Amino acid sequence: MRTQLVLTVVGDDRSGLVQALADVVDQHGGNWEESRLGELAGTFAGVVVVSVPQERAEDLRAALEPLAGLLEVSVRPGGTPADEGGGPGRPVLVEIMGNDQPGIVRSISTVLADHGLNVAELETRTVEAPMAGGQLFEATVVATVPEGTDADALQADLERLAGEIQVEVTFRGTEDLADG
């Protein structure tokens, strides 16, 4: 029987980090199943889901500790999305773009949470605004909408918020909600 482990990794970005982690996982009979890894501001960070024979899980945990000089690794048991609060629902895509300012993520995530949406993925970045100067904020959110959510009310709240914080919000996927 195999068990899933979720590894959270953080370290100074440099060559060989993924290889070092993959070597330890492989040496303990682990299978690298899914990951989200990246470099931000000189720091390499991410989340990796591995499966490992249940009897080797503790050995893998112990073998990851010496990577602390290279990567800080925390390990937690994996679970199913329903166990983690994801629950059933349909995915929607929310894209945000506008002049960068503090509070955009908090504002958008508050509206999503108020309507019971679970954020499955969030990617943000700031880029130079070549014509206007300053910074543009861009975000892409993939969220799960629970059955019974009022899609029109959700879209209206996002549009209201977009006007308040002066960003453009594109919301896709609600046309399928009316069918559910």
Side-chain angles (χ1 to χ4, degrees):
M1 180 160 191
R2 297 183 72 81
T3 188
Q4 274 192 337
L5 299 175
V6 178
L7 315 178
T8 305
V9 300
V10 177
D12 292 333
D13 189 38
R14 61 180 158 202
S15 177
L17 296 177
V18 173
Q19 178 190 3
L21 184 60
D23 284 348
V24 173
V25 170
D26 184 63
Q27 291 164 2
H28 290 83
N31 181 44
W32 189 296
E33 294 185 356
E34 186 176 0
S35 61
R36 302 281 192 280
L37 303 165
E39 180 270 330
L40 295 168
T43 299
F44 180 78
V47 179
V48 180
V49 177
V50 300
S51 64
V52 63
Q54 196 166 20
E55 64 276 6
R56 299 192 69 189
E58 286 308 313
D59 290 340
L60 175 58
R61 282 178 188 260
L64 291 167
E65 288 179 22
L67 289 178
L70 194 60
L71 279 171
E72 296 294 326
V73 181
S74 64
V75 182
R76 60 177 284 155
T80 63
D83 291 342
E84 296 168 3
R90 296 186 182 180
V92 294
L93 177 68
V94 181
E95 296 172 313
I96 301 107
M97 185 169 55
N99 290 328
D100 187 32
Q101 59 185 297
I104 295 174
V105 173
R106 180 191 48 78
S107 297
I108 296 290
S109 62
T110 297
V111 169
L112 298 177
D114 287 349
H115 287 273
L117 276 71
N118 181 51
V119 174
E121 294 180 36
L122 170 64
E123 184 176 333
T124 66
R125 68 184 186 139
T126 55
V127 295
E128 292 276 332
M131 298 302 229
Q135 296 282 308
L136 284 177
F137 176 83
E138 297 175 350
T140 302
V141 180
V142 177
T144 304
V145 181
E147 297 297 328
T149 297
D150 183 341
D152 291 335
L154 172 59
Q155 189 153 357
D157 284 352
L158 285 170
E159 289 171 0
R160 176 195 47 77
L161 177 64
E164 288 175 10
I165 63 175
Q166 298 179 353
V167 297
E168 183 179 315
V169 175
T170 306
F171 187 62
R172 298 184 197 146
T174 54
E175 57 279 355
D176 297 333
L177 295 177
D179 301 334

